[in-house]
Amino acid sequence: WADPAPNGVALDSVDLCIGSDLVYYDRAHADLAALLARVLAAARPGARALLMSRLRIAHRDSGGQVVHRPTPDGSGFEGCSLQRFMEEELPAEGLCARVVQPIPGGGDEGDPSFFFYEVKLAA
């Protein structure tokens, strides 16, 4: 995420970025927030990023492995990496995020663990 944009990418012509499942539990995402800020600052006025994320709970086994399983009821936002990303890491880079509701089709058959966010430069 910290690498510069490729020379052939004309960021000033960007008006929409789309991403899915970029934020996971137990990790910081400050580099991703900084990258989104650089792209949106260089993009056309009013540019935005649309991010679809699924809330996951980290399950640790005794061998040091972490498996991220979707939450069956949409719970798990409190204290997770997604909350830190939306409420701390994005604002630290001058960005704001809001939940876009509803998700067309509700994710997987109405699965409440899916969230769709719009990220923009803070006003």
Side-chain angles (χ1 to χ4, degrees):
W1 300 121
D3 293 343
N7 291 333
V9 176
L11 291 178
D12 60 346
S13 67
V14 170
D15 57 10
L16 178 64
C17 294
I18 299 174
S20 177
D21 292 312
L22 300 172
V23 177
Y24 287 90
Y25 280 78
D26 298 334
R27 294 185 185 158
H29 296 85
D31 286 342
L32 174 58
L35 172 67
L36 284 173
R38 287 193 313 269
V39 169
L40 293 176
R44 293 180 181 174
R48 62 193 178 135
L50 298 177
L51 306 177
M52 187 169 77
S53 294
R54 191 171 196 185
L55 291 180
R56 292 178 168 93
I57 297 174
H59 296 274
R60 291 167 181 79
D61 67 16
S62 58
Q65 298 292 318
V66 179
V67 176
H68 301 283
R69 297 193 177 108
T71 60
D73 60 0
S75 64
F77 183 77
E78 216 39 57
C80 74
S81 290
L82 188 58
Q83 180 185 29
R84 182 177 59 243
F85 182 68
M86 297 297 170
E87 296 178 1
E88 297 174 24
E89 293 169 333
L90 288 175
E93 295 294 335
L95 299 172
C96 59
R98 71 177 182 91
V99 175
V100 179
Q101 292 291 346
I103 295 175
D108 286 352
E109 310 297 316
D111 185 333
S113 68
F114 279 93
F115 286 84
F116 193 38
Y117 293 91
E118 177 184 61
V119 178
K120 291 184 163 188
L121 293 172

